[in-house]
Amino acid sequence: VGALADSIGLATSQDGIHFTKHPLPILAGRSPEVIAWQDSLYLFYVRELIGEGYSIFCARSQVGIKFTPVDESPVLTPGSSVQWDGFEVPPPRLFKRNGNFYMLYAACQSPSRKDLPDGFGLARSTDLRHWEKSDRNPVFSFGEPDSWDDGAVWFGTLFEWENDLYLVYEGGRLV
């Protein structure tokens, strides 16, 4: 049996309880995140670039079933090799606040930490296509040695509650 390519699937439901899988993947990639804006759905996902780590791409749909990449190039790429996010930038999580879109993304600097993000960065956009990374990145890092999350952090999700922002994330140790 050969290796499976990363693929993003889709299932639909009329009642929110019973889902039907579509027979084929909708895109090659992983870690999907969808946000609605201006009568379209924007699907953000990561793909591994040959010889590099993951970068973030975007596809668009007006019907919610067929997604078309907005560009062949990623919308968010790793920084330079000396920056904290110099190797890869998976997975994206999006939210809207004060008229701007924000992307929380995980990242690492070294190929030896592939899929083991050191922390989270934040990027901002007004159009979902052009993103500006915060000069305060990383905004959150994995734990101190011997803490429960000293190995890596994944899947950060921001939510607002009573005007404060909260970050929920998965963390773990590398033993």
Side-chain angles (χ1 to χ4, degrees):
V1 177
L4 297 175
D6 289 333
S7 298
I8 298 170
L10 178 70
T12 57
S13 173
Q14 294 291 315
D15 62 10
I17 297 170
H18 304 92
F19 285 83
T20 302
K21 289 183 185 179
H22 286 250
L24 297 172
I26 58 171
L27 283 172
R30 66 192 298 192
S31 303
E33 175 81 351
V34 175
I35 192 165
W37 184 54
Q38 292 186 343
D39 298 326
S40 293
L41 295 173
Y42 290 83
L43 170 63
F44 291 81
Y45 59 101
V46 299
R47 283 194 352 225
E48 187 173 13
L49 300 177
I50 296 172
E52 301 176 28
Y54 293 101
S55 287
I56 300 172
F57 291 79
C58 179
R60 181 176 166 231
S61 176
Q62 290 184 309
V63 295
I65 295 175
K66 181 180 178 185
F67 286 84
T68 304
V70 296
D71 196 342
E72 291 302 313
S73 299
V75 294
L76 195 75
T77 58
S80 72
S81 63
V82 297
Q83 292 176 301
W84 77 279
D85 64 351
F87 178 64
E88 65 182 1
V89 289
R93 296 293 176 248
L94 285 91
F95 66 100
K96 190 173 182 180
R97 188 173 198 211
N98 299 329
N100 290 301
F101 295 99
Y102 292 90
M103 179 188 299
L104 185 75
Y105 63 94
C108 69
Q109 181 182 20
S110 169
S112 67
R113 292 197 47 88
K114 182 178 178 186
D115 284 335
L116 300 170
D118 299 318
F120 299 119
L122 198 60
R124 182 174 56 105
S125 175
T126 58
D127 64 6
L128 295 174
R129 296 181 78 175
H130 304 93
W131 293 88
E132 178 184 1
K133 293 179 182 178
S134 172
D135 58 3
R136 295 181 181 164
N137 285 338
V139 295
F140 185 85
S141 296
F142 63 153
E144 296 294 324
D146 296 322
S147 64
W148 69 272
D149 63 351
D150 69 353
V153 292
W154 300 273
F155 300 104
T157 300
L158 285 169
F159 67 93
E160 186 173 2
W161 182 260
E162 296 180 356
N163 295 320
D164 289 328
L165 287 178
Y166 293 82
L167 171 63
V168 177
Y169 67 99
E170 176 185 353
R173 299 197 73 190
L174 302 179
V175 224

